[in-house]
Amino acid sequence: MNSRVKHLFCVFVIFLFQSCDNKKEVIEIQVNKAATNSAEYSFKTIEEALQAAKKIRENDNESPLVINLTNENYYLKAPILITPELNGLHIKSDGNVTIKGSQKLDLAWTKKDENLWQAKLPDSIEFDQLFVNNKKQNLARYPNYNEDGGHWQGHAADAISPERIKTWSNPVGAIFHVMHTGEWGGFHFEVSGVDENGEAILKGGHQNNRKSAGIHENYRMVENVYEELDSTGEWFFNRSNRILYYWPLEEENIAESVFEGVRLKNLITVKGSEENPVTNIVIEGINFEHAQRTINEKYEPLLRSDWTIYRGGAVLIEGSEQVEIKDCTFTNLGGNAIFVSNYNRNATIVGNHIYNCGASGVSFVGSPSAVRSPSFQYREFVAFSKLDTIKGPLNNKYPSKCFVDNNLIYRIGRLEKQTAGVEISMAMDITVSNNSVYEVPRAGINISEGTWGGHVIEYNDVFKTVLESGDHGAFNSWGRDRFWHPDRPTMDSLAMENPTMPLWDAVHTTIIRNNRFKCEHGWDIDLDDGSSNYKIYNNVCLNGGLKLREGFYRTVENNIMINNGFHPHVWFKNSGDIFRRNIVMTDHKDIRLHAWGKEVDYNLFPDAESLTEAHENGTDKHSVYGNPNFIDPLNGDYTVAEDSPAYTIGFKNFSMDSFGVKKPSLRKLSKQPLLPKLWSLSDEKVGGNKTVNWLGGNFKNIESLADRSAFGLSKTSGVLLTEIDEKSILSYSEMELGDVIISAEENEVETIYDLLKVVQEHQWKGVVNITIFRNQKSTVVKVKTKK
């Protein structure tokens, strides 16, 4: 060992001894309702423990500080506030601790009638949700709750019709929920009165950023009306006489039941600033329940995206560095679960179970003050002569270098429909990985604009999405950034004259890789208006294919699109887009294209017809067609076999067992997507499958002279409806058993393959126009693709 190495070794040893000598002992504070406060650091309440922690920090800023919560329900009277004076704090539980934003209700019930019970409440009690034996009950509503009822689990066109309002003794205070006319999220109103025509006077409706198009005629629900208290599990609180009415469930003993009313919007706030951040906070192993709805709070537009948002959640983090929310459960919440707002660095949301929440799961939202030349409505814009032309953010008030990893998120957006499992807006370098997200009304993962990219979306399993909305994706994004203009010719001109302008805001490339996506009423991957600077590879799309609307610099390669394909919409001439080495199962579904980007080639098509069409469009010179020969598609293994023609285009296999949450306890709970039956893989004309279930109806090809004769057809072709599942989507349509589909959206339907090609292209609209042959004549029916 030479002298220099000896010297370095000695220095290292001295450093280790000094480090051990300087290591601070962990200070633990115990919280237990049975505590006597006789021990130095033992308290009955979380609030007392936090006060003790602050006192410790007055003299000791270095010792690790832990608050241990024991096996209890903790009912908060006010939100927990963690500020910089508590830096280095670790709050954890023994594994069975719940923090609630509700209060127990001590109720003296009396019978009102055969079904209803009533109890008087003091003036000091206010709540917006009622839980009975820890189960959320329904605020009196019309139509009644039905888990399979579609939007809001039950909707009706006459929710606030004058005829219905006449039956209410006091309409004021009724809460009206309604979808956007384009199903781009929803609106929430309060009835403030009734006009001379018997129409409801509404206030609110600020929860959506695309207001001009109006509200939906059918997807409507109303609640908080006494006269609609007509089924078990419903309740109503009359604030004028302070009486709570409740219709118990059959199995409930009302005298022995536990009643809880939700009174807080926020349970924990971590609050600092860029100049004085909260640092090194860990919140671990805690259940968070019971936070109020926030639909009547102040909402703000997320630039020119379709979103407005309430900047808050059950846990709110703002002005932080190195905050970790770990192994917690968030459930039975009225609004957002976790909200990371403005300046934050290295926040980690890992191993959490998030479900049954009114709004979004995890949100990262920066400050509009960090955006150069911002606009806030679809039709708004800043004239080019007045634009700030400097690239990137104006300040640091945005989340960056944050992680959402290994979480299980489902059944969110139970109230609000412009929501997502993970929402990103005005942020940079957010990694969303190893999450399972499903049963959501809109996107599983959403990025509201290009500011400022650098995100990595990987190894997620996102399915059963866009269940209560339309024209969207399992993954969705917008990019209405500085280059984007509501007038298309103006935007074309700006893009041609300033080719780097799309990168002023979408500074860093966003990567979407190694995910599995499935959208029920849209696209599996939907890069909508303006989305720019993306690299998308090694993804499996199970149903809706992939859409690229106008934008710049997107590279899409080595993806698999089951039963669907590529949807390029209204591209720019100089978009720089690349679509190559992908496996598709339909022809390209282009709409209003000015050009075909930088490269569309080396793709595997299902049949010669699709490839020929691509050649006629001037694309796919080196592409091929054929059966990709998946190894085990019935079990979700879309690895291609050694003899697959996919190898000739440069396709490379990627892992098929790495999607979704990996944490064992959450993996055990997580659902898996329903894998589709491949309808486009035969050696003959693709579409050899002879039967299929669509929207809960079983269909088969007309394939014999006997079929043709039985149904009076002029030729041996068409698709016959043989069975309709009870309460399926199709059961609500005008179709009947024995109907033969002969065309769809004015395209002739000879086989199931023809039908499904049209369906995959048009299902995002929420309705497909079908021509059927019934009783020796053709009839056009509109088939909704959701309830």
Side-chain angles (χ1 to χ4, degrees):
M1 184 182 296
N2 62 43
S3 59
R4 176 170 175 78
V5 173
K6 285 182 180 179
H7 173 73
L8 292 174
F9 178 75
C10 291
V11 170
F12 177 66
V13 171
I14 293 170
F15 171 76
L16 284 179
F17 276 110
Q18 288 177 337
S19 298
C20 292
D21 188 56
N22 292 330
K23 186 176 181 181
K24 296 287 186 177
E25 185 177 347
V26 175
I27 300 174
E28 295 201 31
I29 301 173
Q30 306 297 328
V31 180
N32 186 326
K33 288 183 180 178
T36 62
N37 290 2
S38 59
E40 183 179 8
Y41 296 131
S42 180
F43 301 95
K44 291 183 177 181
T45 69
I46 299 172
E47 292 81 0
E48 290 173 328
L50 288 169
Q51 288 301 317
K54 290 178 182 179
K55 293 290 289 184
I56 292 170
R57 278 289 183 252
E58 288 177 3
N59 301 306
D60 182 353
N61 288 319
E62 296 182 4
S63 295
L65 190 55
V66 177
I67 294 179
N68 288 311
L69 307 179
T70 57
N71 185 5
E72 299 280 358
N73 283 338
Y74 293 90
Y75 292 92
L76 300 180
K77 294 180 180 179
I80 295 168
L81 179 62
I82 299 174
T83 54
E85 59 192 321
L86 288 171
N87 284 350
L89 179 63
H90 185 170
I91 303 178
K92 65 178 184 178
S93 80
D94 60 3
N96 194 21
V97 166
T98 300
I99 292 178
K100 295 186 175 185
S102 59
Q103 59 184 323
K104 282 187 176 180
L105 303 177
D106 185 12
L107 302 169
W109 291 105
T110 59
K111 204 78 185 291
K112 182 181 188 299
D113 57 34
E114 181 182 355
N115 299 312
L116 296 184
W117 291 75
Q118 61 185 9
K120 184 90 170 180
L121 293 177
D123 293 344
S124 60
I125 292 179
E126 284 293 339
F127 59 92
D128 73 342
Q129 294 161 85
L130 181 69
F131 286 80
V132 182
N133 300 327
N134 211 35
K135 180 178 179 182
K136 185 176 184 292
Q137 304 305 317
N138 296 310
L139 183 56
R141 55 172 281 172
Y142 172 76
N144 288 336
Y145 185 96
N146 172 9
E147 184 61 35
D148 298 320
H151 299 68
W152 288 294
Q153 291 66 59
H155 54 83
D158 66 339
I160 58 167
S161 67
E163 292 75 19
R164 188 157 210 94
I165 290 174
K166 285 179 183 178
T167 68
W168 303 343
S169 58
N170 182 15
V172 175
I175 304 169
F176 175 49
H177 309 281
V178 58
M179 291 299 294
H180 184 283
T181 189
E183 294 188 74
W184 301 337
F187 300 93
H188 311 273
F189 299 89
E190 183 178 336
V191 176
S192 60
V194 178
D195 66 17
E196 64 275 12
N197 298 315
E199 300 278 356
I201 300 172
L202 304 176
K203 65 178 182 179
H206 53 282
Q207 309 87 356
N208 196 296
N209 207 25
R210 297 292 296 275
K211 300 176 184 178
S212 60
I215 62 177
H216 205 282
E217 293 183 356
N218 298 312
Y219 296 136
R220 301 176 168 207
M221 187 267 282
V222 68
E223 59 181 354
N224 200 34
V225 178
Y226 174 76
E227 284 76 14
E228 303 300 348
L229 205 172
D230 58 3
S231 67
T232 59
E234 286 194 338
W235 64 278
F236 176 80
F237 179 36
N238 187 328
R239 283 172 171 78
S240 62
N241 62 16
R242 307 299 298 172
I243 294 179
L244 172 65
Y245 302 93
Y246 179 59
W247 187 334
L249 299 173
E250 291 183 7
E251 66 272 17
E252 287 175 351
N253 181 330
I254 197 165
E256 297 178 359
S257 294
V258 176
F259 288 79
E260 297 166 304
V262 181
R263 60 181 173 181
L264 297 181
K265 294 188 290 289
N266 167 241
L267 307 184
I268 292 184
T269 292
V270 179
K271 180 73 170 179
S273 64
E274 180 182 355
E275 297 74 23
N276 185 24
V278 180
T279 62
N280 298 304
I281 301 295
V282 179
I283 299 172
E284 179 180 6
I286 299 171
N287 303 322
F288 293 95
E289 293 192 39
H290 301 176
Q292 286 188 335
R293 299 169 164 191
T294 54
I295 52 174
N296 291 324
E297 301 299 316
K298 178 183 177 182
Y299 277 56
E300 58 183 273
L302 296 185
L303 300 180
R304 287 190 286 181
S305 77
D306 289 3
W307 281 54
T308 61
I309 201 164
Y310 168 67
R311 195 178 285 270
V315 171
L316 172 63
I317 306 170
E318 181 168 329
S320 79
E321 297 174 1
Q322 306 288 348
V323 170
E324 184 175 14
I325 310 297
K326 178 182 181 182
D327 300 335
C328 295
T329 295
F330 294 82
T331 188
N332 292 329
L333 303 171
N336 300 314
I338 302 171
F339 201 101
V340 184
S341 173
N342 294 335
Y343 175 82
N344 290 278
R345 297 295 181 270
N346 299 297
T348 300
I349 315 298
V350 60
N352 300 288
H353 187 190
I354 303 172
Y355 66 104
N356 287 346
C357 298
S360 291
V362 183
S363 301
F364 296 89
V365 181
S367 170
S369 72
V371 181
R372 299 180 186 274
S373 302
S375 296
F376 296 96
Q377 297 288 331
Y378 183 89
R379 295 288 174 189
E380 280 185 11
F381 62 93
V382 177
F384 185 79
S385 61
K386 297 180 180 180
L387 276 178
D388 182 337
T389 60
I390 297 175
K391 189 175 183 179
L394 185 60
N395 59 46
N396 294 323
K397 293 180 180 178
Y398 56 89
S400 181
K401 296 179 171 55
C402 300
F403 298 85
V404 187
D405 182 70
N406 244 314
N407 300 283
L408 175 57
I409 305 172
Y410 59 96
R411 286 174 64 91
I412 56 90
R414 303 299 288 173
L415 180 67
E416 301 181 45
K417 304 310 173 186
Q418 194 69 279
T419 50
V422 179
E423 160 66 4
I424 300 172
S425 175
M426 296 173 282
M428 184 190 296
D429 298 337
I430 309 298
T431 296
V432 183
S433 56
N434 300 301
N435 302 286
S436 291
V437 184
Y438 54 86
E439 294 174 5
V440 298
R442 205 130 170 80
I445 301 171
N446 185 72
I447 299 178
S448 283
E449 66 285 309
T451 52
W452 291 273
H455 313 307
V456 177
I457 314 297
E458 62 182 357
Y459 298 108
N460 301 287
D461 201 8
V462 184
F463 57 96
K464 294 196 80 171
T465 61
V466 195
L467 295 178
E468 298 177 57
S469 60
D471 189 10
H472 212 55
F475 171 87
N476 184 82
S477 66
W478 294 284
R480 298 171 189 145
D481 302 323
R482 276 177 283 179
F483 82 90
W484 196 88
H485 198 284
D487 177 64
R488 182 55 191 258
T490 300
M491 185 160 49
D492 285 340
S493 176
L494 286 172
M496 290 298 292
E497 295 172 9
N498 306 276
T500 64
M501 193 175 175
L503 304 180
W504 292 358
D505 292 307
V507 178
H508 304 292
T509 301
T510 289
I511 295 171
I512 304 174
R513 64 188 176 201
N514 299 106
N515 303 281
R516 182 167 62 182
F517 293 111
K518 187 178 183 185
C519 181
E520 307 305 315
H521 303 113
W523 297 272
D524 297 330
I525 299 176
D526 182 0
L527 271 62
D528 212 352
D529 300 2
S531 300
S532 298
N533 200 5
Y534 279 78
K535 187 170 185 179
I536 303 172
Y537 61 94
N538 291 3
N539 299 284
V540 175
C541 297
L542 289 176
N543 185 58
L546 182 147
K547 181 184 108 182
L548 298 182
R549 194 173 163 88
E550 88 270 338
F552 290 87
Y553 312 122
R554 288 84 58 93
T555 296
V556 180
E557 56 188 345
N558 216 75
N559 301 281
I560 299 170
M561 294 160 214
I562 302 299
N563 294 347
N564 213 308
F566 180 40
H567 298 251
H569 294 183
V570 292
W571 281 10
F572 297 101
K573 292 181 180 179
N574 60 332
S575 71
D577 289 328
I578 296 171
F579 185 85
R580 65 188 173 201
R581 300 189 178 96
N582 300 286
I583 297 175
V584 299
M585 294 189 179
T586 66
D587 54 338
H588 297 329
K589 304 296 184 182
D590 52 294
I591 295 177
R592 292 169 52 203
L593 249 58
H594 297 278
W596 280 89
K598 184 177 180 180
E599 181 184 7
V600 179
D601 204 356
Y602 295 97
N603 298 298
L604 176 61
F605 285 86
D607 52 34
E609 181 182 354
S610 299
L611 181 57
T612 298
E613 185 176 327
H615 288 163
E616 291 173 354
N617 287 326
T619 68
D620 293 282
K621 179 179 179 181
H622 302 96
S623 297
V624 299
Y625 72 91
N627 189 332
N629 294 332
F630 297 132
I631 287 179
D632 189 9
L634 289 178
N635 291 302
D637 187 351
Y638 302 105
T639 302
V640 299
E642 292 182 359
D643 59 346
S644 172
Y647 291 115
T648 67
I649 61 167
F651 181 87
K652 296 180 181 179
N653 283 319
F654 54 93
S655 174
M656 293 290 156
D657 58 3
S658 300
F659 310 121
V661 66
K662 309 297 189 300
K663 181 181 173 183
S665 60
L666 296 180
R667 184 81 176 177
K668 190 175 181 179
L669 295 172
S670 180
K671 293 182 180 180
Q672 299 294 311
L674 179 65
L675 297 171
K677 180 179 180 181
L678 302 184
W679 47 261
S680 60
L681 298 178
S682 71
D683 293 331
E684 303 171 5
K685 180 183 177 183
V686 181
N689 289 322
K690 297 180 181 180
T691 63
V692 73
N693 186 290
W694 176 53
L695 303 179
N698 290 332
F699 294 84
K700 67 179 287 289
N701 286 333
I702 295 290
E703 53 187 355
S704 68
L705 289 175
D707 288 339
R708 174 179 170 179
S709 175
F711 296 98
L713 299 166
S714 60
K715 60 180 181 178
T716 310
S717 67
V719 175
L720 172 66
L721 176 57
T722 61
E723 186 178 358
I724 302 176
D725 298 338
E726 186 179 359
K727 295 184 179 180
S728 66
I729 295 174
L730 199 67
S731 70
Y732 292 92
S733 76
E734 299 175 38
M735 293 199 68
E736 300 176 1
L737 292 179
D739 286 347
V740 177
I741 298 176
I742 57 176
S743 75
E745 295 292 343
E746 300 183 355
N747 294 279
E748 185 177 6
V749 171
E750 295 186 343
T751 66
I752 285 170
Y753 175 59
D754 298 325
L755 171 64
L756 294 179
K757 278 202 304 183
V758 175
V759 166
Q760 296 293 50
E761 185 173 358
H762 293 274
Q763 66 178 356
W764 65 271
K765 299 176 182 177
V767 64
V768 180
N769 294 301
I770 300 288
T771 302
I772 59 170
F773 197 73
R774 179 195 298 166
N775 298 329
Q776 303 293 310
K777 65 179 181 179
S778 60
T779 303
V780 177
V781 297
K782 292 183 180 295
V783 177
K784 293 182 178 179
T785 58
K786 52 180 168 292
K787 291 181 181 178

